[in-house]
Amino acid sequence: MNRRRKGAAGTDEDNSLVSPFVKYLLFLFNFIFWYEHRKHSSLSVIIALVMISIGVYARMMKHAEAALACLSVDPAMMLLVIGVLMFFLTFCGCVGSLRENICLLQTFCICLTVIFLLQLTAGILGFIFSDKARDRVTEIINKAIVHYRDDIDLQNLIDFGQKEFDCCGAVTYTDWSKNMYFNCKTDNPSRERCSVPFSCCILSEDKLVINTMCGMGVQDLEYVQAGDHIHTNGCIDKLVDWIHSNLFILGGVALGLAIPQLVGILLSQILINQIKDQIENQNYYIQHRSDPWS
């Protein structure tokens, strides 16, 4: 949008109602929080495209049946969705602010508003219906356990979680019997029958050689005996305990995510209103420029 036009005397006159401060502050907002790069392209766009590429490649490398079966717990799918959303928001926020494009700015503002409201709603509902939220998370973890050997990305994610939280399974270590390889049925031909993954094992720092087979057959043991070899507590209880002990940190993270979103919504809305005022001012100028009394 041209912000400089010739006045009646033939000199350039800046009649812009769009504040350069707001315009470039919104761009700076994208630069800080989405790592915008200067020449109309951005590192966030590159990062988003890399995430999308990795997600697509990971999906293509997996067997179709396994991919469809564990779609809702597939880390590659999560990466793909986040990459697409990040690319879309970055494009709308960066290009919309630089080009003073109302459509892109409105899209950016609406998307940020929807994301903010969804986060707020999820937090409130999760607090009010904590039992149902717990059941839902348990269901997701159990579904991930079922497909543990079907997806290497999912397997690495579960192993990482069990190692970090010193836990095993969703509610208890016997949840691993839901997996066909770790199932305790007598007709199960798997060598891992009645076992648990190595990530459940209790690792002793004084041992020079790690026993990677420590989880073999532990589901056949009594609870106390199994506790000598593996972490018997489920990851749900560990996760709840971690949340309770880190409420202030989580609150700070939530606030840190909310403030940039609100700032982005506010800046984009201010810029939209200024652009609309600018358009009205241009239309008025065109209609009355030939009127000597205007």
Side-chain angles (χ1 to χ4, degrees), residues 132-160:
K132 291 185 178 180
R134 180 190 178 101
D135 293 340
R136 177 56 181 166
V137 174
T138 303
E139 179 183 345
I140 293 175
I141 294 178
N142 283 330
K143 187 175 181 180
I145 288 175
V146 171
H147 299 286
Y148 176 76
R149 291 298 191 199
D150 301 335
D151 188 340
I152 187 62
D153 298 326
L154 182 62
Q155 178 176 321
N156 292 334
L157 181 62
I158 294 175
D159 287 338
F160 173 79

Side-chain angles (χ1 to χ4, degrees), residues 38-179:
R38 51 188 178 186
K39 296 181 180 178
H40 291 209
S41 61
S42 64
L43 288 178
S44 63
V45 174
I46 298 175
I47 294 173
L49 290 176
V50 170
M51 292 172 65
I52 294 172
S53 301
I54 295 175
V56 171
Y57 176 78
R59 295 295 301 172
M60 293 176 63
M61 289 296 101
K62 297 173 183 177
H63 297 293
E65 294 182 359
L68 291 175
C70 57
L71 187 64
S72 61
V73 291
D74 187 358
M77 196 62 185
M78 299 176 190
L79 193 67
L80 181 60
V81 172
I82 294 174
V84 171
L85 182 61
M86 183 178 175
F87 175 82
F88 182 73
L89 279 176
T90 300
F91 177 82
C92 292
C94 179
V95 178
S97 60
L98 287 178
R99 303 299 298 173
E100 299 180 10
N101 189 298
I102 293 180
C103 181
L104 290 178
L105 287 173
Q106 286 179 335
T107 303
F108 176 77
C109 182
I110 292 173
C111 288
L112 275 185
T113 303
V114 170
I115 293 173
F116 175 78
L117 292 177
L118 288 176
Q119 292 174 343
L120 183 63
T121 303
I124 295 175
L125 292 179
F127 179 78
I128 297 176
F129 303 102
S130 57
D131 292 337
K132 291 185 178 180
R134 180 190 178 101
D135 293 340
R136 177 56 181 166
V137 174
T138 303
E139 179 183 345
I140 293 175
I141 294 178
N142 283 330
K143 187 175 181 180
I145 288 175
V146 171
H147 299 286
Y148 176 76
R149 291 298 191 199
D150 301 335
D151 188 340
I152 187 62
D153 298 326
L154 182 62
Q155 178 176 321
N156 292 334
L157 181 62
I158 294 175
D159 287 338
F160 173 79
Q162 292 189 148
K163 289 178 181 178
E164 286 295 313
F165 289 100
D166 294 333
C167 59
C168 188
V171 179
T172 184
Y173 68 99
T174 55
D175 289 335
W176 280 102
S177 191
K178 295 180 174 66
N179 186 280

Side-chain angles (χ1 to χ4, degrees), residues 5 276-289:
R5 293 179 303 277
K276 288 181 178 179
D277 291 340
Q278 173 73 1
I279 294 175
E280 292 180 1
N281 184 59
Q282 285 181 341
N283 293 335
Y284 179 85
Y285 176 81
I286 293 173
Q287 293 174 359
H288 297 82
R289 61 185 176 181

